Amino acid sequence: MNVESMNAAQSEPYGALYLHIPFCASRCAYCDFTTEAVAPDDPRIDTYLDGLIREVRDVAREGLLSAVRSVYIGGGSPSFLGSRRLVQLVYTLALSIDLTGLEFTVEANPEQITDSLVRDLFALGVNRFSLGVQSFQDADLRALGRIHDAARARGAITAIRERCDNLSIDLICGIAGQTMASWLASLEAAETFDLPHISIYPLTVEEGTPFAHAAKQGRLVSLDEDTQALFMEQAAEHLRQQGYHRYEVASYAKPGSECRHNSAYWTGVSYLGLGRGAAGMRQSATGRERLMGGKVVETLTPAQAITEDLMLGMRMSEGIAREQLTRADIILPGAYEVFSELIDLGLVEADEKRYRPTARGWLLGNELYGRIWALAGVSGSRSQ
Amino acid sequence: MTDPSLIRNFSIIAHIDHGKSTLADRVLQLTHTIAERDMVEQVLDSMDIERERGITIKSQAVRVMYDARDGQTYQLNLIDTPGHVDFTYEVSRSLAACEGAVLVVDATQGVEAQTVANALMAMNAGLEIIPVINKIDLPAADIERVRHEIEEGLAIPADEAILVSGKTGEGVEELLEAIVQRIPLPSGAADQPLAALIFDSYFDAYRGVVALVRIIDGTLTTGQKIRFMATDVATQVEEVGVRRPANTPVDNLMVGEVGYLITGLKDPADVKVGDTVTLERGGVSEPLPGYREVKPMVYTGIFPLEGDQYTDLRDALDKLRLNDPALVYEPETSHALGFGFRVGFLGLLHMEVVKERLEREFSLDLLATAPSVEYHVFLTNGEMLSIHSPQDMPDPVSIEHIEEPYLKATILIPPDYVGAVMDLSIARRGVFDTMQYLSTTTVEMRWDIPLSELIMDYFDQLKSRTKGYASLDYEFSDYRFSQLVRLDILLSGKPVDALSFIVHRDKAYSMGNTLSIRLKEIIPRQLFEVPIQAAVGGRVLARTTVKARRKDVLAKCYGGDITRKRKLLEKQKAGKKRMKNIGSVEVPQEAFMAILKVDE
């Protein structure tokens, strides 16, 4: 197996499992994830999948999956594998883990959803889909370089919900050409499906993407930060009225439908990542390691791990418990001061039990997380 | 001793980029002073900055031996001088060490402002001028036009001009013959008491201060007890020698010769350019003419970006001054920027070069404030203050009047651009003096212009408004009465001393307005709204606002994103470190120079 297991013995058990499918039908203009566009019959897909299945068997035999409470197959586009290959992978998982009571999510693109794909996956234990809708406006979808249209997105949602209620969709705001009216129209279109979970992302121009290239040449006019902020606030308000609760910066859920797998990332749960671009995290009393494709890519000291937990905790509406900060302050002198400064800046609010991000803190997340992360002292002096 | 009739001392003078240093290279090659394999470009420009920018900052003296066509071997002392107006005084002292000057004019560019200025200086120094038209190998060379300009503009017979190419070496031998034949031999007297002119100096970590000298009268011998007259320092000659171009010790330097002098003195302040060296006993009673104290023209605040580099900055300045006695500095404290220095320079190029050397050679991160000049502030109580920094300006009620330095500026342009230069110079409070046609293609305009206006991007503006054709030369004129006020910049209601500057009263409103708009573009959005105000004496003239940041978040943060995200936060933080925290406002470094780039 690929996973370096020097610390495996002392490491706390993995609570979550992520499987990465690094293939897509075509590359979206904004995407900077590890993935490549290949033909559906490209032999590399089968070879890759073969290896992945082997890895699942190996880690299962070593007992590394015994405490897993969520499985997530992401990409790339897992749905691009097609029913036959995806079923093989899910079948292996079903044999390797007791899926009872687990959250099992598969990421999918609307154009690849078919009735039979949904039926097969559901039958094998997949109980949550994450659908890359992005927008219900065709103009937006074209601007993003997506290959589906709004009608296809609607069809995919209907097909999934035939069997599986637990469905999340992604929507992107801040697309060039988007107006407040068209953004609200997308939100209202989503509303008609009464979905349990919606993720809202402001469009980010990532380095190395076609968007970044276009922006450099002046061909892509991004919406300014004021408009993006306004769109995000509108979405928050709109979804709140629909009974959604914003449990993380970008994540809105009906009560009880919060994504367990994603929450693991933000609450310091160890996770195992299998596949080329899969990130994993394991930890013990001596520190935290992050792995990529089975290799340790970074080691955090306990102090850094604690700081990271504070930072990630503040992405969530429940924030962090006062005791968590009290414990952190022992190892990170100055943690209290930073939090009281964050309160003064209006980025954080506190009650007797918890520290929580404010709406402003969410919009200015980089400032909030940056000031917390500075506690770890990575770049020298602490922010004052 | 070398018979003075076989000695020729000369300088090469030129407008910048006309090929002076390359021509010097050819002279060194042709006289076998430097072996072919040791040849690098711009041999005499030894600093990296000199080579990179193609400029000469320090003077150099090199002795070459030339076997002339008359069968005699001549000792030629070539003195390479700085080509920039900032170093006019140094050039004048180098010229005083010579009997002749080779005036280089680019065959494609013709006579330019510093060609005229340098030629005038050489004439005033009584030098024999040999005009040289350089770069004749270039297709764009227009020899006839340049001949005409030399004759009309400089009143030098053009048929005396020698055609050369520093690149190919063509004509260089003719030039050496002309040097031998036309330049007078040195005229001093060997039997007079020693009088030697210091025309430059540099610092050697092992030997101390090394002076470059020309023996005007008498002899300079190892072991002699000597005295520097202006600084009144007595010492002993440790070593004399000549540069070929490596230092080569000799027993003595005779009348007419050029060489170096080492005394073991360690303080550059003791050895000043233009000073006279004589014997401690029985020396001359009058120093050689022309010495003056070098005074800085331009001042700027230099602050370390990190407060803990203050002592490093001080040490670096101390070290630089060893080789650059024109550099002056005193500690300055700014509320906004902390501890630093107010540094005086000969001009803008000097300022740039020093800042670059401080950063490169001493690895310092520095922030410089906008340059200022020396103002004379006359108080109601009759006292006069010399102010180098806007923040030292006293309370207006105690000021009777203020005077500021004016320059005499000479601008050479093609006739088409007379209007453009008029507009710019009037906008810069220039007072028109004279205008004359040097030829049908070149007009010379003379202006009296405040130095404070000239250092505000004037040269760049001049260049851009004349499509690069204008050339500029200037010299200090006098101090004149001006209606000046201090314009303050307030960020979030608090004045930022390092952003204050002194401006003519009539321009305060438009400058305040433009600057507050510029600053709004430069200062990034922050957590809170940042009002920017420009004010004079508490009266606000202009106001802009940097809006508060609304959204700055990367929404996706799942397993693989976490590391990336944190790296991004660290990068952001490093970016902020490049900014200066003033109160709660993060101000980028370029804000302090914004005043220089206020487009008109």
Side-chain angles (χ1 to χ4, degrees), chain A residues 32 201 204 225-226 228 233 265-266 279 290 298 308 315 345 360 363 365-367 373 381 384, chain B residues 525 527-528 549-552 554-560 563-566 569-570 573 576 581:
Chain A
D32 72 331
Y201 303 114
T204 313
E225 67 169 273
D226 299 279
Q228 284 205 356
E233 283 169 349
Y265 293 133
W266 306 317
R290 200 158 267 110
E298 125 177 298
E308 188 177 82
R315 294 187 68 85
L345 291 171
R360 176 172 148 85
L363 277 171
N366 286 345
E367 186 70 37
W373 180 242
S381 64
Q384 39 162 336
Chain B
R525 293 170 71 166
L527 278 179
F528 298 98
R549 218 159 63 215
R550 282 281 276 137
K551 184 228 129 199
D552 175 21
L554 290 182
K556 284 204 181 193
C557 190
Y558 304 118
T563 302
R564 221 162 38 138
K565 163 117 195 158
R566 277 201 341 254
L569 292 174
E570 282 164 23
K573 191 182 165 196
K576 283 184 185 179
N581 262 326

Side-chain angles (χ1 to χ4, degrees), chain B residues 7 241 284 349 386 554:
Chain B
I7 298 175
V284 295
L349 177 75
S386 289
L554 290 182

Side-chain angles (χ1 to χ4, degrees), chain A residues 275-339:
Chain A
R276 190 183 296 162
M281 189 272 273
R282 68 180 173 209
Q283 55 193 344
S284 66
T286 60
R288 179 176 287 184
E289 287 176 329
R290 200 158 267 110
L291 302 93
M292 188 66 78
K295 292 207 165 21
V296 176
V297 289
E298 125 177 298
T299 308
L300 299 184
T301 63
Q304 287 171 328
I306 286 170
T307 314
E308 188 177 82
D309 286 343
L310 292 178
M311 179 179 103
L312 292 171
M314 294 307 282
R315 294 187 68 85
M316 305 188 69
S317 60
E318 61 174 30
I320 57 163
R322 278 192 173 267
E323 305 86 74
Q324 191 177 343
L325 187 64
T326 310
R327 285 196 305 272
D329 195 65
I330 298 166
I331 296 187
L332 302 169
Y336 267 124
E337 292 155 37
V338 167
F339 270 76

